[in-house]
Amino acid sequence: MTKGSGAVFGSVALMEQTPWIMNDTVRENTLFGREYDKEHYRRVVEACALADDIRIWTNGDKTVIGEQGINISGGQRARLALARTVYSKADIYVLDDPLSAVDAHVKRHILDNVIMGSGLLSGKIRVVSVNAKSLLPYFDKVGLITYIELVEMFINNVTALFELPSRLISFNKGINIFRQYMDMDRDDNSVENTVKPPSSWPSAGKIEFRSFSMKYHRDLEYALKNINFTINPGEKIGIRKLIVLDEATADVDLETDREMQKLFRSEFKDCTVLTIAHRLETIMGSDRIIAMDNGTVVEFGPPKELIEKGGYFAELVKASGF
């Protein structure tokens, strides 16, 4: 604070934008040294959409996570961090983009059971930063922040802050570095020749995956489930320039996300780009979308066709208010 004064009355609980975990059990990560209140703990786990995950793990909430335990997904980390914050029974809750790493239906569950008036935090002061404009109607008061300067506030009680940071300068530097790397072998024909099957490539034999499923750990849910594909004789599968973006823009606002997607399309137009995202706005410009539920491919096709025919993806779009 450079001038003026401020005061906080009551205890404050903070959920950081980048969730972290301790190398300990799921329960201890939630309690964070506090006394175990069985009923309160149960309600927090249910409200933060962790109950199904705990039921899947062999040791339940006694499952060890972290460096010496099992790995958990980004969405599970976010929900666990939220549970830790909610369990604290604070007077004021500061939640930094708590919904960016979760699916649309989980987002709705957390809004209803944690953040909104019917949730566990009803009656508490809730300061929530979000990047998704579709969430703004759920709050009583919205502050629009540009370059960390408050420029507009309206409605009644302070329960939300909407932050619009600018990160394009540093992002453009990264794009330029990546462009230089991608240009290194662009004129190198020897690389192109290596992806062509030789004349001696076998005409017999093929590889088939039928109902293929995979877990990262036996206590985790399926990462892939019932996947089917075939590599026939004479085929060689390979992609020279493949870029995988795993939640690359989850922590930025929609305006910055759109600018990033424009850069991706222009700079990587000769590449195959696989985008993994929970935010529908990030993938709606894709040529094809694979919708997955618990490791199973539910739908595949252009976004417009998936929406028009209804089904799983269309329901996600509807639930997110896109």
Side-chain angles (χ1 to χ4, degrees):
M1 183 177 294
T2 58
K3 61 181 180 180
S5 62
V8 176
F9 301 94
S11 58
V12 179
L14 168 66
M15 175 185 172
E16 297 180 355
Q17 187 178 49
T18 303
W20 56 272
I21 59 174
M22 302 183 296
N23 182 40
D24 209 328
T25 65
V26 174
R27 179 184 294 186
E28 291 303 320
N29 267 276
T30 304
L31 301 183
F32 199 49
R34 298 180 179 88
E35 184 179 350
Y36 176 58
D37 182 333
K38 184 177 181 180
E39 180 58 24
H40 180 55
Y41 176 79
R42 182 193 64 78
R43 289 189 287 115
V44 168
V45 165
E46 291 283 351
C48 295
L50 278 170
D52 289 342
D53 300 281
I54 290 175
R55 279 191 285 268
I56 290 173
W57 292 324
T58 302
N59 296 321
D61 66 353
K62 297 295 182 67
T63 300
V64 177
I65 58 178
E67 293 181 0
Q68 298 179 14
I70 66 171
N71 293 321
I72 61 176
S73 69
Q76 289 169 329
R77 282 173 177 259
R79 285 179 277 129
L80 185 56
L82 179 62
R84 180 191 304 128
T85 306
V86 175
Y87 189 83
S88 66
K89 296 183 179 181
D91 301 306
I92 302 169
Y93 290 86
V94 181
L95 310 178
D96 191 355
D97 212 5
L99 303 174
S100 62
V102 300
D103 296 321
H105 63 283
V106 177
K107 186 181 299 182
R108 178 75 255 184
H109 177 92
I110 292 175
L111 280 170
D112 291 339
N113 294 277
V114 178
I115 299 175
M116 302 303 296
S118 60
L120 290 181
L121 300 186
S122 61
K124 306 286 186 178
I125 294 178
R126 290 144 287 168
V127 181
V128 186
S129 69
V130 297
N131 287 313
K133 294 180 181 178
S134 60
L135 296 175
L136 298 184
Y138 294 103
F139 299 105
D140 299 313
K141 191 167 186 178
V142 175
L144 177 62
I145 300 179
T146 305
Y147 301 108
I148 318 301
E149 180 181 357
L150 187 63
V151 295
E152 182 180 356
M153 298 195 73
F154 57 92
I155 315 181
N156 291 322
N157 300 314
V158 179
T159 54
L161 293 175
F162 179 39
E163 183 178 0
L164 291 173
S166 175
R167 306 184 185 182
L168 286 180
I169 295 177
S170 60
F171 180 73
N172 276 324
K173 291 180 180 178
I175 286 289
N176 289 333
I177 294 174
F178 192 87
R179 185 192 298 121
Q180 293 174 8
Y181 172 79
M182 296 297 291
D183 286 342
M184 287 175 58
D185 64 352
R186 184 162 292 176
D187 298 325
D188 186 0
N189 292 327
S190 63
V191 177
E192 290 292 340
N193 291 334
T194 61
V195 301
K196 297 178 180 179
S199 57
S200 60
W201 193 262
S203 58
K206 66 178 181 179
I207 300 174
E208 288 187 338
F209 282 82
R210 292 289 176 263
S211 300
F212 173 76
S213 300
M214 182 188 74
K215 293 182 177 181
Y216 292 120
H217 190 279
R218 65 176 180 273
D219 292 334
L220 294 177
E221 59 190 48
Y222 284 103
L224 296 174
K225 188 175 181 180
N226 295 327
I227 302 299
N228 300 276
F229 68 91
T230 302
I231 303 175
N232 292 310
E235 291 182 341
K236 185 175 182 181
I237 305 300
I239 303 175
R240 181 189 174 205
K241 293 181 179 178
L242 172 65
I243 300 172
V244 180
L245 305 175
D246 188 356
E247 296 287 7
T249 60
D251 293 336
V252 303
D253 60 273
L254 291 178
E255 182 180 343
T256 306
D257 192 354
R258 282 192 288 268
E259 292 300 321
M260 289 173 133
Q261 299 306 322
K262 289 180 183 178
L263 282 171
F264 291 149
R265 286 191 288 270
S266 63
E267 299 300 330
F268 307 146
K269 59 185 178 182
D270 297 327
C271 303
T272 298
V273 180
L274 301 180
T275 303
I276 303 169
H278 289 94
R279 183 187 288 173
L280 294 179
E281 292 87 349
T282 302
I283 60 172
M284 291 303 280
S286 302
D287 299 312
R288 298 287 187 276
I289 288 178
I290 300 175
M292 302 187 70
D293 184 27
N294 292 325
T296 302
V297 176
V298 180
E299 290 178 323
F300 173 70
K304 184 177 179 181
E305 290 184 8
L306 295 180
I307 293 174
E308 289 177 348
K309 79 173 187 178
Y312 182 81
F313 182 73
E315 285 298 318
L316 289 179
V317 173
K318 181 180 179 181
S320 65
F322 181 78

